[in-house]
Amino acid sequence: MNSNVRPESMARITTLELAKAFIDEQVKEVRAQVGDKKVLLALSGGVDSSVVAALLIKAIGKQLICVHVNHGLMRKDESENVVKIFGEELDANLVYVDATDRFLNLLAGVSDPESKRKIIGKEFIEVFADEARKLEGVEFLAQGTIYPDILESIKAAEGKKAVKSHHNVGGLPEDLKFELVEPIKLLFKDEVRVVGEALGLPHAMVYRQPFPGPGLGVRCLGAITRDRLGALREADAILRDEFDKCGLAEKVWQYFVVVPDIKSVGVKDESRYEGWPAIIRAVNTTDAMTASIEEIPYAVLHKITQRITNEVEGINRVLYDLTPKPVGTIEWE
Ligand code: XMP
């Protein structure tokens, strides 16, 4: 698939049958492109890179080397799931890198959101490049580029200004030159999900809500500390668990917890208890350019509040953010 333009004749992939035909075609194309050479892939665990990984495992098996970089800003159990699904169940050639200390040390004391994004993006490339240099005989780099990415680059090239620098993975250093393998670059997100299902990936992975590249880094507001990041991760896991249980997970486009760097006075076990607030955000959107607020039933909010304040060390209040986009962006940073 060499063209970056989706032909008008290309049918929208809406069924498992159409997805299977697409997969068969891509398996042939990838095999023809890479022959017996090795292919490297940065596997974040997001929908796009996961679908590319599953597709390439089908096409070239162990010739694919997946590198999962845990930047320490993943949600609870996320890296563990990548290892379980790809390393164990799909028996992929998977390199797992725990780079938590590298990232958190660099981020210590940095409070400006765009500086945080830049540090995370740059370090991600460095960690990935370090791993790539250790490998021999790799000639190809697979990427989970999808059609909206291509359309967005065209817009960027036309000089339209972005509100936030979303692109986390820039180019690799000069000494690492690979030919690109981009099997899903002409697909829209809904089509990628159908292809993922046809490849047998778990529903929760294929329908995973969007998660920003800088991860919890832009939800642990201001300068990140390990204790506040830990509290955020636990509170976020509780929110996700409760949304799963009441069916909201299927209905809401993106939902998460934000923990700002402020403390308020509370009381616990009859003593003063200073803690951070956990802010809940739950939005619906079609294109992330505008977003509306989901109406969460009061009983669900009540349960989440009870659980977070009882179970998460360091959090003593729960707030619900009612601000649509605009005027608030979806993320707080
Ligand atoms: P905002 O906050 O701009 O978010 O309204 C719109 C969508 O983009 C996601 N987002 C990011 N994704 N890197 C990403 O890959 C980023 O730096 C980033 N910042 C925001 C956000 O989660 C939402 O889905």
Side-chain angles (χ1 to χ4, degrees):
M1 210 186 264
N2 289 320
S3 167
N4 273 353
V5 181
R6 182 171 168 128
E8 275 183 27
S9 59
M10 188 170 155
R12 195 91 181 183
I13 301 172
T14 49
T15 62
L16 289 179
E17 244 176 27
L18 288 169
K20 283 185 181 140
F22 172 84
I23 293 163
D24 289 343
E25 188 189 308
Q26 284 309 310
V27 164
K28 277 193 216 133
E29 283 202 25
V30 168
R31 285 183 185 154
Q33 186 188 1
V34 309
D36 59 0
K37 300 292 187 304
K38 287 185 194 154
V39 181
L40 184 62
L41 169 74
L43 175 60
S44 66
V47 183
D48 305 333
S49 66
S50 297
V51 170
V52 169
L55 186 57
L56 295 196
I57 291 167
K58 190 173 168 76
I60 55 170
K62 300 258 168 155
Q63 278 167 258
L64 174 72
I65 304 164
C66 301
V67 175
H68 176 71
V69 175
N70 178 359
H71 49 24
L73 303 165
M74 305 292 280
R75 289 174 292 193
K76 192 171 180 178
D77 296 335
E78 222 160 17
S79 285
E80 291 79 357
N81 278 334
V82 169
V83 172
K84 185 167 158 272
I85 292 163
F86 290 95
E88 293 166 21
E89 290 170 18
L90 295 178
D91 194 25
N93 203 345
L94 174 71
V95 179
Y96 170 74
V97 190
D98 183 357
T100 303
D101 288 339
R102 274 179 76 159
F103 280 86
L104 295 189
N105 290 344
L106 280 173
L107 287 165
V110 181
S111 57
D112 172 59
E114 288 300 281
S115 306
K116 286 164 70 177
R117 275 194 175 79
K118 283 198 189 99
I119 289 170
I120 297 167
K122 188 164 165 280
E123 189 60 9
F124 188 89
I125 291 169
E126 279 180 25
V127 175
F128 185 68
D130 286 349
E131 292 307 315
R133 288 191 191 100
K134 288 183 203 160
L135 301 167
E136 275 179 19
V138 177
E139 294 191 12
F140 294 88
L141 179 74
Q143 285 190 337
T145 313
I146 64 171
Y147 206 46
D149 299 331
I150 290 179
L151 298 176
E152 208 177 292
S153 324
I154 296 171
K155 253 204 255 161
E158 287 168 356
K160 305 216 169 91
K161 200 164 173 271
V163 178
K164 299 178 190 180
S165 54
H166 282 197
H167 284 280
N168 332 288
V169 185
L172 284 169
E174 278 292 298
D175 65 310
L176 292 168
K177 287 225 184 323
F178 300 115
E179 190 181 315
L180 292 182
V181 179
E182 297 177 300
I184 58 170
K185 72 176 175 186
L186 297 185
L187 301 190
F188 288 99
K189 196 79 177 193
D190 53 326
E191 299 177 297
V192 177
R193 296 192 206 276
V194 184
V195 170
E197 282 207 295
L199 284 162
L201 287 175
H203 184 85
M205 181 165 251
V206 171
Y207 284 89
R208 191 179 96 138
Q209 57 165 320
F211 187 55
L216 299 182
V218 289
R219 296 177 181 170
C220 188
L221 304 186
I224 299 167
T225 55
R226 288 178 195 244
D227 53 355
R228 193 157 50 87
L229 180 63
L232 163 61
R233 183 174 287 122
E234 291 305 319
D236 187 70
I238 292 172
L239 175 75
R240 289 197 288 144
D241 184 41
E242 291 301 324
F243 267 43
D244 276 339
K245 284 186 193 151
C246 71
L248 276 171
E250 299 281 326
K251 226 180 121 209
V252 181
W253 193 78
Q254 202 174 10
Y255 48 96
F256 53 88
V257 168
V258 171
V259 178
D261 188 12
I262 52 169
K263 281 194 170 173
S264 70
V265 177
V267 57
K268 197 176 184 183
D269 303 328
E270 294 171 33
S271 304
R272 184 182 169 101
Y273 174 48
E274 290 184 10
W276 305 289
I279 300 164
I280 296 172
R281 190 112 173 97
V283 299
N284 280 318
T285 177
T286 44
D287 57 5
M289 300 301 287
T290 61
S292 60
I293 300 307
E294 177 66 28
E295 268 189 42
I296 307 181
Y298 181 76
V300 176
L301 283 172
H302 184 64
K303 177 86 189 291
I304 291 168
T305 304
Q306 260 187 336
R307 280 197 60 195
I308 291 180
T309 51
N310 282 335
E311 295 173 33
V312 184
E313 180 69 34
I315 294 201
N316 67 354
R317 285 174 201 265
V318 176
L319 314 176
Y320 185 36
D321 179 0
L322 290 172
T323 322
K325 175 180 180 177
V327 58
T329 50
I330 294 176
E331 303 290 344
W332 270 52
E333 289 194 331

